[in-house]
Amino acid sequence: MHIVTGRWCAAALCVALVTTGCQETPHPTPPPSATTGVIKLPGNAGPTNMALAADGALWIVEHRMGAIAEVDPTGRVTQHRVPGRVVQPGSILAAQDGRTADWRLGWIDRPRGFAALIGEGKSPRSGSIRGLTVGPDGAIWFIAASTTPSVRRAHPTEGIRVMASLPGTANQVPQDGLTTGPDQAVWFTMSDGIGRVGHDGRYTRWPLPPKANPRQIIAGPDDALWFIERRGIGRITISGVVSHTPVPVPDPEWIRALTSGPDGALWFITDTQVGRLQLTGTPELWPVAGAKRLSAIVTAPDGSLWLADSRTNLVLRFRPPQ
């Protein structure tokens, strides 16, 4: 594995990424308000996913550009072009060691630029990657949606290993439907149910009602798993007890993404709204001015929310009404 070393600063990052199209765009810190347009991404960016790193940097997948944008706490934007063949990055996460991994399991390591690619999406080794999570062992776990879908484990020095084969086809595995649960197992959604794979590779599945269409799944603040489903949000305990909360989303909108907030509630987005669900309450919804297709949501430590819109190519800072 080739690693470029050196102390990080804005200039050093550009040098490390000069062959990948690193660019910096200054941007002022947004003033506080209910909804503020913070970042205007390029017209063909198509932001689809975000991750907030421990240092306050926001990482944004620019799906249609094959790039990842980094927004530092001052509002400065740095573009990281994904190297290699033309790709469309999808999932992204901030790893425990401060690095950020995209869907090809390529590391954006700020002190060193792109350090190593340990697996390429759509290669015979890993298939099309659907979702990333840091497993209980500190490695990256993901679903390879190849001819026979499987849950796999990736480590920079140990390589990629198949942990469990899954029934069905690649079409039954949604994007980003993967997380690490409170029981230290990996949980994920399939088109007809919820699955679990333990560190020992044992696979368990719980069916859902027909047409539930589960997608993203996250670990909630209550030692349970919460997931998006058609017209609502579902909950499953680690013992497999499932419940459902309807969300009044008007046609043709969908619930697009879900996250756990610092206030102990769940926050979610539809195409044009932000919603909040208390663990024992009913959903609340707020419209987002100018939104066309909200695609990602991340909560900040101060209680505000970062929102991405894949149609307007904007990243917004949203402050919920008190």
Side-chain angles (χ1 to χ4, degrees), residues 181-293:
D183 58 349
Q184 299 303 295
V186 173
W187 292 73
F188 50 92
T189 56
M190 302 288 284
S191 62
D192 57 354
I194 304 295
R196 176 189 183 275
V197 171
H199 188 55
D200 57 359
R202 181 181 177 184
Y203 165 64
T204 309
R205 173 184 170 275
W206 291 270
L208 292 177
K211 298 183 180 180
N213 193 23
R215 294 185 298 283
Q216 184 189 11
I217 185 169
I218 66 170
D222 58 346
D223 291 332
L225 289 302
W226 294 76
F227 56 92
I228 296 171
E229 57 185 355
R230 185 175 177 83
R231 303 302 175 207
I233 294 174
R235 177 182 184 269
I236 182 170
T237 67
I238 58 175
S239 60
V241 179
V242 180
S243 57
H244 308 273
T245 301
V247 176
V249 180
D251 287 326
E253 292 199 13
W254 289 76
I255 302 173
R256 297 288 175 182
L258 178 70
T259 190
S260 183
D263 58 351
L266 299 171
W267 290 86
F268 59 93
I269 51 173
T270 70
D271 288 27
T272 61
Q273 300 175 92
V274 171
R276 179 177 184 265
L277 175 63
Q278 298 187 61
L279 302 186
T280 58
T282 57
E284 301 173 89
L285 290 163
W286 295 275
V288 178
K292 298 290 183 65
R293 177 65 64 81

Side-chain angles (χ1 to χ4, degrees), residues 71 84 92 120 226 249:
V71 184
I92 189 170
E120 295 209 2
W226 294 76
V249 180

Side-chain angles (χ1 to χ4, degrees), residues 40-60:
K40 175 61 178 175
L41 300 174
N44 62 337
T48 56
N49 214 326
M50 298 189 294
L52 188 65
D55 61 357
L58 183 68
W59 297 82
I60 307 161

Side-chain angles (χ1 to χ4, degrees), residues 13-201:
L13 180 60
C14 269
V15 171
L17 298 176
V18 64
T19 60
T20 65
C22 171
Q23 300 174 348
E24 293 187 15
T25 305
H27 200 284
T29 303
S33 64
T35 306
T36 304
V38 180
I39 299 297
K40 175 61 178 175
L41 300 174
N44 62 337
T48 56
N49 214 326
M50 298 189 294
L52 188 65
D55 61 357
L58 183 68
W59 297 82
I60 307 161
V61 171
E62 296 171 313
H63 182 73
R64 292 192 293 267
M65 285 180 59
I68 297 174
E70 176 190 4
V71 184
D72 73 12
T74 70
R76 183 181 59 215
V77 182
T78 304
Q79 294 284 352
H80 303 279
R81 301 287 181 178
V82 177
R85 297 189 300 271
V86 176
V87 296
Q88 291 181 314
S91 300
I92 189 170
L93 62 81
Q96 292 174 337
D97 59 2
R99 296 182 298 179
T100 305
D102 74 2
W103 81 314
R104 302 189 335 153
L105 301 184
W107 297 106
I108 298 178
D109 192 343
R110 292 201 313 157
R112 296 167 295 194
F114 283 97
L117 294 176
I118 58 176
E120 295 209 2
K122 297 189 178 180
S123 77
R125 252 182 108 195
S126 61
S128 177
I129 295 173
R130 304 285 178 88
L132 298 170
T133 188
V134 178
D137 53 358
I140 301 297
W141 291 57
F142 64 98
I143 292 179
S146 52
T147 304
T148 301
S150 59
V151 175
R152 305 190 184 193
R153 174 187 181 274
H155 190 275
T157 60
E158 298 173 16
I160 298 175
R161 181 158 56 103
V162 175
M163 300 302 297
S165 295
L166 305 177
T169 65
N171 292 334
Q172 295 177 284
V173 182
Q175 184 75 33
D176 297 323
L178 182 76
T179 193
T180 300
D183 58 349
Q184 299 303 295
V186 173
W187 292 73
F188 50 92
T189 56
M190 302 288 284
S191 62
D192 57 354
I194 304 295
R196 176 189 183 275
V197 171
H199 188 55
D200 57 359

